[in-house]
Amino acid sequence: MNRTNYDKLSEWNNELLQHYIINDVILGIYLILGTSGNAIVVLVYAFRMNKKKDDRYFIPFLAVVDLLACVCRSSLELAMNFNPVRFQGSVLCKAVWFPTNVTAIASIFLLLVIAIQRYLKVCRPFGLQMTLACKRFSLIVCIVVAVSVSAPLIVYNDEIEVINPETNVTGYVCDTDVKSHYGQGFLAYIIFASVCSLVLMVALTILNICIGRTIFKQLRAKHRRKSSNNVISRHKVSVCAQSDLLNVDQDVSISDTETSFQPQKNSSLGAQNNSQTQINSSSESDTQNRSTMSFSHRYSIMFMAIGVAFIISYSPRLILLFITLHDPKFFGKISQTNLTILSVIREMNVVNNVVNPFIYGFFDHTFRKETKKICFKVN
């Protein structure tokens, strides 16, 4: 029985589709966790949290970008896995890749802006800080840069024809057409994008190291002050105890003239009360300062963890990019099993957009509390 080219293509597509089952499960998990997690972050931080906290300003915006990036990337990868050789349409290919690239790049640059803000707040607390206008402007810059960097990919992402030598049937893949555009312009863009990625990773690493070192120094100084205050407090308690004993002896020895010395006793008690009030006021002030410092440190460490997650998730993809630059036919030489494994590694960059809500939940107690309230109301 003669088979048409469509039948052959469908059989080839179904055969390849079986190799991506693990990828599809992982991408499905990414999609569910990333969508629900970032949606909760947007809801809680935008409508349930204290908007006066400067540390929380960028979180709703980052969550929106991560939500869109997760949906776009995971959905695109799933569509390509279900249609490994049947993804037809040049316009469709460009249309689905563009928002995927824009949201991913915007998320990366927003992480850099957040790292700069944390660096100024923690390492340069008495210097210039980001004003509200500066923060809004930085958000616009992130979007403009993301669109500008993604624009050339509209040309490079295209429908690519692939031929099955066994059945002599032509399939279609939606990806970067390296073979057709492999020239000086394409190489210049790829090198530029690669350098930008490396610079971003190095900048995030340096900023996070500086922030971490400053926090470590502040915590060590705080521990020393705490130990010193404990010693001073014990000394004050000892002095007060000795003073009370002297007053008791004096009262016993001159009990007959108690009335004449009553004002002096009241004066002594007033002085002690004033001293105790000053101590309590100082203690409350120290507690408030420690609470503020602890809040700032907690958010700084939280954003450091987000930066580290970005570096870990994007490094494998960057390595694969350098490999394909050195050998454009690299993916065509490896077995289907290895190609499946590399696909899982390449898709790890979605982790950057999925993991952030869990980092927020780990470090922010108020976020956890508000999230529980929302979940209980829903249930």
Side-chain angles (χ1 to χ4, degrees):
M1 183 177 180
N2 293 330
R3 293 181 303 165
T4 63
N5 287 336
Y6 178 81
D7 294 332
K8 294 177 182 178
L9 180 60
S10 297
E11 290 179 4
W12 185 24
N13 188 86
N14 293 334
E15 180 183 346
L16 295 175
L17 189 151
Q18 303 300 320
H19 296 284
Y20 293 102
I21 294 177
I22 297 176
N23 298 54
D24 296 337
V25 172
I26 295 174
L27 286 169
I29 294 173
Y30 288 163
L31 185 59
I32 294 172
L33 294 180
T35 304
S36 58
N38 285 296
I40 290 175
V41 170
V42 173
L43 181 62
V44 172
Y45 274 98
F47 303 106
R48 302 294 294 268
M49 303 284 275
N50 184 6
K51 296 179 177 60
K52 295 181 180 181
K53 291 290 186 181
D54 177 66
D55 304 82
R56 295 171 175 158
Y57 180 82
F58 286 110
I59 292 180
F61 299 101
L62 181 60
V64 171
V65 175
D66 284 338
L67 174 62
L68 295 175
C70 183
V71 171
C72 292
R73 183 75 192 193
S74 299
S75 301
L76 175 58
E77 293 286 352
L78 282 171
M80 291 193 297
N81 287 349
F82 282 115
N83 300 277
V85 288
R86 286 198 315 187
F87 205 116
Q88 294 179 266
S90 177
V91 176
L92 176 62
C93 181
K94 296 177 186 297
V96 295
W97 265 113
F98 182 69
T100 302
N101 293 325
V102 170
T103 51
I105 295 172
S107 176
I108 296 171
F109 276 94
L110 190 53
L111 288 178
L112 179 63
V113 171
I114 292 173
I116 294 174
Q117 184 213 20
R118 303 312 306 170
Y119 173 80
L120 294 175
K121 194 174 186 67
V122 175
C123 302
R124 299 287 186 270
F126 302 107
L128 293 176
Q129 301 293 319
M130 279 191 176
T131 61
L132 181 60
C134 182
K135 293 174 185 175
R136 291 173 177 172
F137 179 73
S138 65
L139 292 173
I140 296 174
V141 170
C142 287
I143 297 174
V144 172
V145 170
V147 172
S148 301
V149 174
S150 302
L153 291 172
I154 297 177
V155 178
Y156 300 139
N157 291 325
D158 207 343
E159 174 193 280
I160 305 172
E161 293 185 354
V162 290
I163 300 176
N164 187 342
E166 297 179 0
T167 58
N168 196 28
V169 66
T170 302
Y172 304 92
V173 177
C174 175
D175 210 332
T176 304
D177 192 353
V178 179
K179 185 177 180 180
S180 300
H181 299 287
Y182 198 82
Q184 292 183 351
F186 178 76
L187 286 176
Y189 173 78
I190 295 299
I191 292 173
F192 168 76
S194 302
V195 170
C196 285
S197 300
L198 285 174
V199 170
L200 282 169
M201 287 186 178
V202 171
L204 283 172
T205 302
I206 294 174
L207 290 171
N208 285 327
I209 289 175
C210 293
I211 293 169
R213 185 176 62 180
T214 302
I215 291 175
F216 175 76
K217 290 181 179 179
Q218 291 177 353
L219 291 176
R220 186 170 60 180
K222 174 184 173 182
H223 178 72
R224 290 177 178 175
R225 287 197 303 270
K226 185 177 180 180
S227 300
S228 177
N229 289 337
N230 289 337
V231 173
I232 294 173
S233 298
R234 287 195 296 269
H235 176 70
K236 288 181 178 179
V237 170
S238 177
V239 171
C240 290
Q242 293 178 4
S243 176
D244 291 341
L245 288 174
L246 291 175
N247 289 335
V248 169
D249 292 341
Q250 185 180 22
D251 290 341
V252 171
S253 61
I254 55 173
S255 56
D256 294 338
T257 57
E258 181 179 359
T259 304
S260 62
F261 283 94
Q262 190 68 30
Q264 183 177 352
K265 287 169 62 179
N266 291 337
S267 176
S268 176
L269 290 173
Q272 291 180 10
N273 290 333
N274 290 336
S275 176
Q276 186 63 34
T277 302
Q278 292 177 358
I279 293 173
N280 291 337
S281 176
S282 176
S283 177
E284 292 177 0
S285 178
D286 291 342
T287 302
Q288 185 176 3
N289 290 336
R290 286 196 299 269
S291 177
T292 302
M293 182 180 294
S294 177
F295 180 87
S296 179
H297 286 169
R298 191 166 62 250
Y299 267 74
S300 297
I301 296 173
M302 181 182 76
F303 285 119
M304 286 171 60
I306 292 173
V308 171
F310 156 71
I311 294 173
I312 294 174
S313 61
Y314 267 86
S315 294
R317 184 175 181 84
L318 195 60
I319 294 171
L320 287 177
L321 177 60
F322 288 137
I323 293 174
T324 53
L325 281 178
H326 178 72
D327 185 5
K329 299 180 180 180
F330 171 75
F331 285 102
K333 296 178 181 179
I334 61 178
S335 65
Q336 187 62 45
T337 303
N338 291 333
L339 183 60
T340 304
I341 296 173
L342 289 178
S343 297
V344 174
I345 295 174
R346 188 180 68 173
E347 294 157 3
M348 278 183 60
N349 63 310
V350 186
V351 175
N352 174 60
N353 310 117
V354 175
V355 74
N356 291 348
F358 298 94
I359 296 177
Y360 301 145
F362 181 79
F363 285 97
D364 194 336
H365 172 72
T366 306
F367 172 73
R368 292 199 304 271
K369 183 173 67 174
E370 293 296 331
T371 302
K372 290 178 181 178
K373 289 181 181 178
I374 292 176
C375 292
F376 287 144
K377 284 184 179 180
V378 171
N379 293 334

